[in-house]
Amino acid sequence: MIKYYGFVLSKLIEKYHINNQVVAPDGTEYRRVFDAVFIDALKTELGYTALLALLFCAVFAYLIGSLNFAVIISKLFFKDDVRLHGSGNAGATNMLRTYGNAAGIATFVCDALKGAVSVLLSMLILGEGGAYVGGLFCILGHIFPVFYKFRGGKGVVVSAVTILCLEPLAFLFLLVLFVLIVGMSKYISLGSVICAFFFPLIQNAFSQADGFISFISTTISVLIAVIVIVMHKENIKRLMNRTENKLSFKKKGA
């Protein structure tokens, strides 16, 4: 029950005996959709705790997303700001190109971890609904970090981990697509943009969500796609002009 409703909602279900099952005409029991149970919980005396839990998921995820590790690592180990070099993006790819493989891998791992923590902790607190909200706000925090004057990365790694946690099958499909595109073209940005474009369609095809969660997952998948594509607008211009940098594991130097 924790996976679907989270700790807070599960406690309200138990305390107020909220029905979380639907019985079909043939006697088969099905889990009630998240939004129906959430609305019933709001009607209880302690219903405000569910709203507080949802707000906490959003705020916590945004703040942890705002911990931009490209900026942190570049300042801590190189006494520099990665945003002053290369594409100006505070992300793993620019770190790799500017400071080398170790810096790029460290940034990638840290960004992936913060995305996973945001989604999984939010799921623990408020189930499916919290997980989708946590994932979205972590991405927003990464792109518009409150700690670094709202200048962050493009959200590709955090988005990928969010998709992995929420829709593993969709992630695997997109990963294969990404590897094929980057392998043939050597353009990470091209792979990111194409995968973002197809993500809402693929997510909808693989998703087993229903009710409000289905609406929320579709809405958030579209938002993620739009955010990633918009954040790559300069890369798209360079791709069209054939001036975009290809994937290379040799650092250019700051």
Side-chain angles (χ1 to χ4, degrees):
M1 191 161 64
I2 295 293
K3 175 184 177 182
Y4 300 114
Y5 303 116
F7 180 80
V8 173
L9 212 53
S10 294
K11 286 297 181 183
L12 292 175
I13 290 170
E14 293 174 4
K15 181 177 179 62
Y16 294 100
H17 305 290
I18 298 172
N19 182 25
N20 66 323
Q21 297 290 331
V22 174
V23 181
D26 62 359
T28 306
E29 288 190 351
Y30 296 95
R31 175 178 55 87
R32 284 183 72 199
V33 294
F34 175 89
D35 51 301
V37 175
F38 186 79
I39 291 172
D40 284 350
L42 292 180
K43 297 175 182 178
T44 66
E45 184 181 0
L46 295 177
Y48 65 89
T49 58
L51 284 178
L52 289 177
L54 190 62
L55 179 62
F56 175 83
C57 291
V59 173
F60 172 82
Y62 175 76
L63 291 178
I64 196 172
S66 290
L67 295 174
N68 192 289
F69 288 99
V71 178
I72 293 172
I73 292 172
S74 64
K75 288 188 175 182
L76 185 62
F77 293 99
F78 301 97
K79 310 302 179 185
D80 197 8
D81 189 334
V82 68
R83 294 173 295 181
L84 300 176
H85 306 284
S87 64
N89 178 53
T93 302
N94 200 30
M95 286 290 286
L96 184 148
R97 288 171 176 161
T98 304
Y99 304 113
N101 294 345
I105 292 171
T107 302
F108 178 92
V109 171
C110 290
D111 284 346
L113 284 175
K114 74 181 182 184
V117 168
S118 296
V119 173
L120 297 178
L121 181 60
S122 296
M123 180 178 287
L124 182 65
I125 294 171
L126 203 61
E128 294 174 305
Y132 279 101
V133 170
L136 175 62
F137 276 85
C138 184
I139 294 168
L140 292 175
H142 179 79
I143 297 172
F144 307 109
V146 67
F147 306 126
Y148 303 104
K149 300 180 180 179
F150 303 100
R151 286 184 58 210
K154 294 175 181 176
V156 174
V157 174
V158 182
S159 297
V161 172
T162 298
I163 297 167
L164 172 60
C165 293
L166 297 174
E167 299 290 348
L169 290 177
F171 170 82
L172 289 175
F173 191 95
L174 289 167
L175 178 61
V176 171
L177 180 61
F178 178 83
V179 170
L180 288 174
I181 294 170
V182 175
M184 290 187 293
S185 69
K186 305 300 180 186
Y187 291 121
I188 290 180
S189 56
L190 181 63
S192 300
V193 169
I194 291 178
C195 285
F197 179 81
F198 283 107
F199 168 51
L201 297 175
I202 294 172
Q203 186 274 339
N204 186 65
F206 284 103
S207 177
Q208 296 181 347
D210 47 21
F212 183 67
I213 292 300
S214 177
F215 170 76
I216 262 224
S217 64
T218 301
T219 302
I220 288 179
S221 67
V222 171
L223 285 174
I224 290 174
V226 170
I227 289 169
V228 171
I229 292 173
V230 169
M231 293 304 297
H232 280 81
K233 60 181 183 297
E234 295 301 323
N235 301 82
I236 294 172
K237 290 179 183 178
R238 289 194 293 269
L239 284 168
M240 294 176 68
N241 295 329
R242 297 185 179 181
T243 56
E244 175 72 330
N245 291 321
K246 290 190 174 184
L247 175 64
S248 172
F249 292 98
K250 298 178 180 179
K251 70 175 183 178
K252 293 184 176 180

